[in-house]
Amino acid sequence: ELFQLVQQKRWPDVLQRLTDHKNEAATWVVDRSPDGIINWRNLPLHTACENYPPEDVVKLLVAAHPRALQLKNATGALPLHLACRERANASVITILM
């Protein structure tokens, strides 16, 4: 559910979900083609970084799963790369560094 909230940019709900279900921050969501090839694979932090997240959301996602900062998605991108590509707020970039 956390991942869906992040995709929908429901930031207040993301914060609430993280307080009650912090383990969901470590859950990979994978989309595969019918032949099993991975189309994409993201953690909630990766997806948040593609969607102009508020600073408090990024802080809480990182606190819930710090290792996510070092994990690459299926295209080889770190959360920092995604945030930079989408021109995230400078304070968000700083958290990811």
Side-chain angles (χ1 to χ4, degrees):
E1 186 171 330
L2 175 64
F3 192 84
Q4 291 173 338
L5 295 172
V6 169
Q7 279 186 314
Q8 297 166 1
K9 302 180 191 178
R10 293 174 46 192
W11 305 125
D13 295 330
V14 168
L15 293 172
Q16 182 60 47
R17 184 75 185 177
L18 275 168
T19 60
D20 299 334
H21 299 70
K22 116 179 192 178
N23 62 313
E24 289 183 21
T27 302
W28 287 96
V29 175
V30 180
D31 180 64
R32 294 179 187 270
S33 66
D35 56 358
I37 295 173
I38 294 175
N39 294 323
W40 56 264
R41 175 186 78 152
N42 279 343
L43 289 167
L45 182 60
H46 291 90
T47 299
C49 289
E50 294 177 315
N51 289 291
Y52 306 98
E55 183 178 334
D56 56 346
V57 168
V58 174
K59 282 182 180 178
L60 208 51
L61 283 166
V62 170
H65 186 47
R67 187 151 154 52
L69 292 169
Q70 303 166 354
L71 298 174
K72 296 177 181 178
N73 67 8
T75 64
L78 295 169
L80 175 62
H81 301 147
L82 300 171
C84 289
R85 183 188 74 199
E86 299 300 327
R87 302 181 191 273
N89 185 299
S91 62
V92 167
I93 301 293
T94 300
I95 294 166
L96 297 171
M97 293 172 58

